[in-house]
């Protein structure tokens, strides 16, 4: 009798659904984790603020000095595009730091153990984090660049820097600025996974994009010409440079070099993720 009841109970018990780890599910999980952090909203807001506010300030400054003897020579050759994108260097810092936090923050809190338990193959976690945040940084950078140019071009209208969306190369440069900031976010994510420390990741990020380019000026001139264009910051700058400049790569070459730096950072992060314990 008891055997019969046990058999009946087992037959009527609902079957537990099998859980499968798939790429879309990992992406949705990383998307939810990204937007659950207050730092995400704050830092993305700062990146937009830097892009738009500094672009407006630069354009306003140019307008106020137009026709004045106090106008610096280099500044006098500015265009509406270069003035509007003046805040790109500041926005890249905000997005890069947030990228570091996306991955290194999980190591600091210990959440990475739960993440890797749920996704034991590991690498899909890295690809999903990089893809999700890279897309968010790309959209943020593109919206900020177009908004900054919209205001900046109106401020300098009627001056030597006047330029509109229909000017050759403007839209390409604005899209290039958004792509550059998106890839900076991916590099930050990779550095966070590689170094597993927020402080170390931010330090390497700042050194790579701000300190090392400045230190190249101490090198002999012949070395600068061979090294400087291939640094991540200078290669990325070529994506949103409008006029041809012999000191930087072409947009196509710059994109290839910057993609190579991004792939190198991701490869290092993937290697450590596979070879080291959480």
């Amino acid at each position: 009798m008891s055997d019969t009841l046990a058999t009946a109970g087992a037959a009527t018990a609902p079957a537990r659904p099998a859980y499968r780890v798939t790429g879309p599910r990992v992406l949705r999980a990383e998307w939810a984790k990204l937007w659950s952090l207050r730092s995400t909203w704050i830092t993305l807001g700062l990146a937009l603020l830097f892009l738009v506010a500094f672009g407006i300030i630069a354009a306003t400054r140019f307008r106020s000095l137009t026709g004045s003897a106090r106008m610096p020579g280099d500044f006098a050759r500015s265009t509406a595009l270069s003035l509007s994108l003046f805040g790109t260097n500041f926005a890249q810092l905000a997005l890069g730091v947030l990228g570091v936090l996306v991955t290194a923050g999980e190591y600091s809190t210990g959440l990475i153990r739960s993440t890797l338990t749920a996704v034991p193959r590991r690498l899909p976690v890295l690809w999903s984090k990089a893809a999700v945040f890279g897309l968010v940084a790309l959209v943020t950078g593109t919206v900020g660049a177009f908004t900054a140019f919209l205001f900046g071009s109106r401020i300098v209208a009627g001056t030597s820097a006047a330029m509109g969306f229909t000017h050759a190369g403007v839209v390409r440069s604005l899209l290039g600025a958004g792509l550059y900031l998106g890839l900076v976010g991916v590099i930050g994510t990779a550095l966070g996974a590689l170094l597993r420390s927020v402080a170390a990741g931010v330090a390497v990020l700042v050194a790579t994009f701000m300190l090392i380019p400045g230190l190249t000026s101490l090198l002999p001139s012949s070395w600068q010409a061979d090294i400087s264009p291939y640094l991540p910051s200078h290669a990325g700058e070529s994506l949103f440079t409008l006029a041809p400049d012999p000191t930087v790569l072409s947009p196509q070459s710059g994109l290839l070099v910057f993609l190579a730096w991004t792939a190198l950072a991701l490869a290092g992060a993937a290697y450590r993720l596979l070879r080291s314990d959480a």
Side-chain angles (χ1 to χ4, degrees):
M1 181 68 178
S2 59
D3 292 342
T4 304
L5 291 175
T7 303
T12 58
R16 185 176 180 180
Y19 176 79
R20 294 180 61 248
V21 177
T22 62
R25 284 177 173 172
V26 179
L27 285 170
R28 285 197 298 269
E30 294 303 329
W31 178 268
K33 283 193 288 185
L34 176 65
W35 293 111
S36 66
L37 299 174
R38 185 183 304 173
S39 59
T40 298
W41 298 93
I42 295 174
T43 312
L44 290 178
L46 285 174
L48 275 175
L49 178 64
F50 291 154
L51 269 173
V52 178
F54 281 106
I56 292 175
I57 291 171
T60 303
R61 176 67 173 167
F62 182 91
R63 181 82 187 193
S64 66
L65 291 176
T66 298
S68 171
R70 296 183 295 115
M71 173 82 80
D74 292 340
F75 198 48
R77 291 188 291 271
S78 300
T79 64
L81 180 69
S82 63
L83 293 169
S84 301
L85 296 180
F86 183 79
T88 304
N89 287 338
F90 303 96
Q92 75 176 2
L93 182 60
L95 293 173
V97 169
L98 183 56
V100 172
L101 288 171
V102 166
T103 47
E106 288 201 23
Y107 284 94
S108 300
T109 60
L111 180 61
I112 191 65
R113 297 185 183 90
S114 300
T115 300
L116 296 182
T117 299
V119 189
R121 291 179 60 187
R122 296 193 173 195
L123 284 184
V125 174
L126 177 62
W127 308 144
S128 297
K129 286 182 181 295
V132 166
F133 183 67
L135 177 62
V136 171
L138 169 65
V139 172
T140 302
T142 303
V143 170
F146 274 87
T147 304
F149 184 78
L150 179 64
F151 286 105
S153 60
R154 292 182 178 181
I155 293 173
V156 300
T159 68
S160 60
M163 187 178 288
F165 284 106
T166 57
H167 192 282
V170 166
V171 173
R172 188 270 304 165
S173 296
L174 294 174
L175 292 174
L179 178 59
Y180 170 70
L181 292 173
L183 291 175
V184 168
V186 174
I187 290 176
T189 305
L191 288 176
L194 174 63
L195 302 174
R196 302 185 176 185
S197 166
V198 174
V202 171
V204 172
L205 181 81
V206 172
T208 300
F209 287 95
M210 294 188 171
L211 298 182
I212 295 177
L215 292 175
T216 56
S217 61
L218 302 176
L219 297 174
S221 299
S222 58
W223 290 21
Q224 291 183 40
D226 294 332
I227 296 175
S228 183
Y230 298 95
L231 295 176
S233 57
H234 291 166
E237 182 183 346
S238 67
L239 298 181
F240 52 90
T241 299
L242 185 61
D245 188 340
T247 62
V248 298
L249 301 172
S250 67
Q252 296 80 6
S253 300
L255 176 59
L256 292 176
V257 171
F258 199 58
L259 286 174
W261 281 110
T262 306
L264 180 64
L266 286 172
Y271 179 83
R272 186 169 188 194
L273 188 61
L274 290 174
R275 297 294 181 180
S276 303
D277 293 334

